[in-house]
Amino acid sequence: MSENMKPEDFRVAANKNSHVKKVIAVVSGKGGVGKSLTTSLLAVNANRDGKKVAIMDADITGPSIPTIFGLKESASGTDEEIFPVETFTGIKAISLNLLTDDPASPVVWRGPVISGLVKQFWSDVAYGDIDELYIDMPPGTGDVPLTVFQSLPIDGIVIVTSPQDLVSLIVEKAFRMAAMMNIPVIGLVENLSYMLCPHCGEKLYPFGKRGEQEAKRFGIPCFDSLPIDPKLAELCDQGKIEEYEGRYLDSITQAIHGLKK
């Protein structure tokens, strides 16, 4: 990318009936690390804190948000705009799977078409008054992440990783792309970080501690972790993530609440 290319050169206007205060993108340098889970938990936390929340599912070829929240109905709309579907607790969501008759149908589209739909999720969807909009991004640094960073007013990103040998590369790719686009990194989430001993409750780290070291190495201000939790996975499969007990990712949730425009 040219150093003279600025994200605002490609900005897309929001829908006239959308008034979004903060836009947060949840990203990773690779797939399968838990971006959708992280996005969902952050949205649920914000909703519990009294914020008006929305989720944009920008992972067009692998949308997970409708499944995690148990959304069955289709999004409605008019000739001019689309209305997002509301979850059980009032979180507004938009996803390709909420616009199609058969969610199981594969999306065999070229990059420009997918990028165009993501832009429409911003320009054509009437979110209303929203304090925090979370974007569940596709993996990597390809067409859609570039489109989102260039076209939408992103206030910050949350990077998701897992404790494995590739963790440094995963974090560095996402961190460098954010730096190229002049977007601040709010925090780093390490998924599958630890497990709780069923007998004594001690935290066990089967893959070692890696994420916090990477956060320090890149100067990422906030670090949080998610455990290997079968109950959490079961709630996602059942579409009941809003029923999860406890408070995961609280430090990053509070960092987002306190983020200045």
Side-chain angles (χ1 to χ4, degrees), residues 188 190 208-219 223:
L188 175 67
E190 184 179 68
K209 296 182 180 181
R210 301 171 183 262
E212 192 167 10
Q213 297 173 357
E214 294 304 306
K216 291 179 180 178
R217 184 164 80 92
F218 289 103
F223 172 77

Side-chain angles (χ1 to χ4, degrees), residues 80-107:
E80 297 182 350
E81 59 190 2
I82 302 169
F83 303 115
V85 174
E86 287 198 17
T87 70
F88 179 73
T89 62
I91 297 171
K92 296 182 178 180
I94 192 65
S95 171
L96 178 62
N97 274 9
L98 301 176
L99 300 171
T100 58
D101 295 329
D102 183 7
S105 295
V107 178

Side-chain angles (χ1 to χ4, degrees), residues 63-124:
S64 301
I65 295 300
T67 299
I68 293 176
F69 283 88
L71 300 176
K72 304 296 184 182
E73 65 178 293
S74 298
S76 60
T78 67
D79 291 339
E80 297 182 350
E81 59 190 2
I82 302 169
F83 303 115
V85 174
E86 287 198 17
T87 70
F88 179 73
T89 62
I91 297 171
K92 296 182 178 180
I94 192 65
S95 171
L96 178 62
N97 274 9
L98 301 176
L99 300 171
T100 58
D101 295 329
D102 183 7
S105 295
V107 178
V108 188
W109 296 349
R110 295 191 182 276
V113 178
I114 295 175
S115 296
L117 179 60
V118 172
K119 290 180 183 179
Q120 286 184 281
F121 280 174
W122 179 250
S123 62
D124 293 0

